[in-house]
Amino acid sequence: MLTFAALGCTLPATAAFAASPGRPPALPQTGAGPATFAYLCVTGKSLRPSGTCDTWRVVTGDGKIYSFPEALAYEKDKKDPDVGDTGSFAISPDGMRVAYHRASDDRVVVRDLDSAETWTVPYKVPRGSTGSPFTLRFVRDGNGLAITPADAEKAATVYVRVEEGTARRMPRGWTLLDADGDRFTLLREPGIGARGMFRTITGGKPADVKIPENAGKHLIWGPFAARDGRAANLVPTDPPACGPDMTPVWLTSFSTAAGTMKKVKPQLPKDVHQADVIDWLNSTEVVAAAGRERPGKRFTVPGSYVYAVDVTTGAARLLAKLSTRESIHESNLVVGGYLAARGAAADKAVKPAKGGCG
């Protein structure tokens, strides 16, 4: 599971690089400050988050690492103990709220890290499921939450207004990208041999437009982020079936009402092997969570480098570098708090090793 929820921070590049020799202390109810990222770890020869890695780790703006024991981290299948799945976790763009699957009663909960107030979300976790059969993502701010089932073709995404306690089901087969009052922007994801589509619902009336199939000669693929009638996407070199080289070659932006596309070359470091757009930072920049292929080292976990990329020029700024001495379980790294990030020009990078299909 590749989990992106939003990071960023006023952290210096090494502030989050902290050792956690055992299970860290629990995140205090108040006073810890904004969360910048969260992750699941593995220890020793274990392939699962177990032992001292049996809780989500939450890293705050001062680089301190805490455990979050109330959130479901990993659940074994009752019928097959060798099989299991992880719990879902999300961090708001400002880092002041977290959303999680509560282990004690299978409810979805949002917690404010400043006031310690919690809200139990009106969403029923399917019976008999292992781990979280859904993903959590904050929409715009800490009050909007999208709960997307693992199989969105069978079950609809639910959009929750946390403080109001309201929930609205989206049409099946569509991913919620943005919500603003009574206007919703949805996505039918593009795939090999299938063009994607945007749907705008205003006052209950839907309007659909098709997404172009290619940007240049490259297939449009991967996550989109939308805001105020515009959507953005980083187009990779190859689709996922081609292997590890998902190098972004175009940053595309679309009118979600007309489907028209513009594209620029993203000025990211040359050793970025994968980058996904996860949100809009402002009217011209999107937030991209990236992994890099450092020479002589393993790929970094996708999301561990966070950039702001300008959709009009392609210029990139490094917002934060997220790192830990612990081994991260299957790319389970959640990004958050990027609204407070301070960035500079993208750092230099040496030529990466050859990867991908060819």
Side-chain angles (χ1 to χ4, degrees), residues 90-93 97-99 110 136-145:
I91 303 172
S92 63
R97 290 184 178 181
V98 295
V110 174
L136 300 172
R137 180 178 64 88
F138 284 100
V139 180
R140 287 193 172 232
D141 57 26
N143 193 39
L145 183 70

Side-chain angles (χ1 to χ4, degrees), residues 14-32:
T14 57
F17 192 73
S20 182
R23 186 183 296 105
L27 181 71
Q29 290 296 309
T30 62

Side-chain angles (χ1 to χ4, degrees), residues 32 47 60 92 158 168 171 176 189 192 238 249 251 256 262 276:
L47 299 177
T60 55
S92 63
V158 174
R168 175 169 175 170
L176 177 65
E189 297 182 5
I192 297 175
D238 298 307
V249 291
L251 172 60
T256 56
K262 296 180 180 179
D276 293 328

Side-chain angles (χ1 to χ4, degrees), residues 171-226:
R172 290 184 181 182
W174 295 83
T175 300
L176 177 65
L177 296 181
D178 188 32
D180 182 20
D182 68 347
R183 184 179 69 181
F184 299 88
T185 304
L186 310 176
L187 170 73
R188 177 159 288 169
E189 297 182 5
I192 297 175
R195 289 178 63 177
M197 187 175 295
F198 295 120
R199 170 171 289 181
T200 304
I201 302 176
T202 306
K205 297 181 179 180
D208 297 346
V209 297
K210 290 184 178 180
I211 299 171
E213 186 173 3
N214 298 289
K217 62 179 182 179
H218 299 281
L219 183 70
I220 294 176
W221 191 278
F224 288 72

Side-chain angles (χ1 to χ4, degrees), residues 23-29 54-58 66-74 89 100-104 111:
R23 186 183 296 105
L27 181 71
Q29 290 296 309
D54 62 354
T55 71
W56 277 96
R57 303 285 205 252
V58 176
Y66 297 96
S67 63
F68 203 96
E70 57 262 50
L72 179 66
Y74 182 87
F89 199 90
Y100 57 95
H101 179 173
R102 189 161 57 194
S104 62
R111 174 172 150 189

Side-chain angles (χ1 to χ4, degrees), residues 3-350:
T3 315
F4 291 148
L7 121 143
C9 19
T10 54
L11 297 181
T14 57
F17 192 73
S20 182
R23 186 183 296 105
L27 181 71
Q29 290 296 309
T30 62
T36 57
F37 72 107
Y39 63 94
L40 289 175
C41 66
V42 292
T43 183
K45 296 182 179 180
S46 175
L47 299 177
R48 304 182 185 91
S50 59
T52 58
C53 284
D54 62 354
T55 71
W56 277 96
R57 303 285 205 252
V58 176
V59 184
T60 55
D62 56 5
K64 292 181 180 178
I65 300 176
Y66 297 96
S67 63
F68 203 96
E70 57 262 50
L72 179 66
Y74 182 87
E75 184 177 16
K76 293 181 180 180
D77 190 297
K78 294 179 180 179
K79 297 180 180 179
D80 186 352
D82 293 328
V83 177
D85 209 348
T86 56
S88 187
F89 199 90
I91 303 172
S92 63
D94 65 2
M96 295 310 300
R97 290 184 178 181
V98 295
Y100 57 95
H101 179 173
R102 189 161 57 194
S104 62
D105 61 0
D106 272 344
R107 300 302 301 270
V108 176
V109 178
V110 174
R111 174 172 150 189
D112 190 287
L113 302 185
D114 184 37
S115 68
E117 186 173 3
T118 61
W119 296 267
T120 301
V121 169
Y123 179 85
K124 292 183 178 181
V125 178
R127 291 184 178 181
S129 59
T130 302
S132 297
F134 54 81
T135 59
L136 300 172
R137 180 178 64 88
F138 284 100
V139 180
R140 287 193 172 232
D141 57 26
N143 193 39
L145 183 70
I147 306 173
T148 303
D151 189 349
E153 293 295 331
K154 294 182 179 180
T157 293
V158 174
Y159 173 65
V160 176
R161 297 292 292 173
V162 173
E163 295 174 23
E164 293 86 339
T166 61
R168 175 169 175 170
R169 293 186 179 275
M170 299 292 109
R172 290 184 181 182
W174 295 83
T175 300
L176 177 65
L177 296 181
D178 188 32
D180 182 20
D182 68 347
R183 184 179 69 181
F184 299 88
T185 304
L186 310 176
L187 170 73
R188 177 159 288 169
E189 297 182 5
I192 297 175
R195 289 178 63 177
M197 187 175 295
F198 295 120
R199 170 171 289 181
T200 304
I201 302 176
T202 306
K205 297 181 179 180
D208 297 346
V209 297
K210 290 184 178 180
I211 299 171
E213 186 173 3
N214 298 289
K217 62 179 182 179
H218 299 281
L219 183 70
I220 294 176
W221 191 278
F224 288 72
R227 182 69 62 89
D228 299 327
R230 291 191 302 163
N233 165 267
L234 278 164
V235 180
T237 301
D238 298 307
C242 289
D245 188 5
M246 295 286 288
T247 304
V249 291
W250 292 109
L251 172 60
T252 58
S253 57
F254 305 86
S255 163
T256 56
T260 53
M261 177 180 68
K262 296 180 180 179
K263 62 183 191 293
V264 295
K265 287 285 186 181
Q267 297 171 30
L268 292 166
K270 294 184 182 301
D271 61 355
V272 166
H273 69 87
Q274 178 177 345
D276 293 328
V277 173
I278 60 173
D279 200 0
W280 284 78
L281 187 64
N282 51 52
S283 62
T284 59
E285 291 179 307
V286 292
V287 180
R292 294 172 65 175
E293 182 182 0
R294 310 315 298 267
K297 300 181 180 180
R298 296 180 302 172
F299 291 159
T300 64
V301 174
S304 55
Y305 289 82
V306 182
Y307 297 93
V309 190
D310 194 300
V311 297
T312 61
T313 66
R317 298 183 294 123
L318 179 65
L319 295 178
K321 175 186 174 183
L322 309 180
S323 56
T324 172
R325 289 189 174 94
E326 294 183 301
S327 297
I328 294 178
H329 173 259
E330 296 182 356
S331 298
N332 280 288
L333 183 148
V334 173
V335 184
Y338 45 80
L339 291 184
R342 298 170 185 171
D347 50 338
K348 296 180 180 179
V350 295

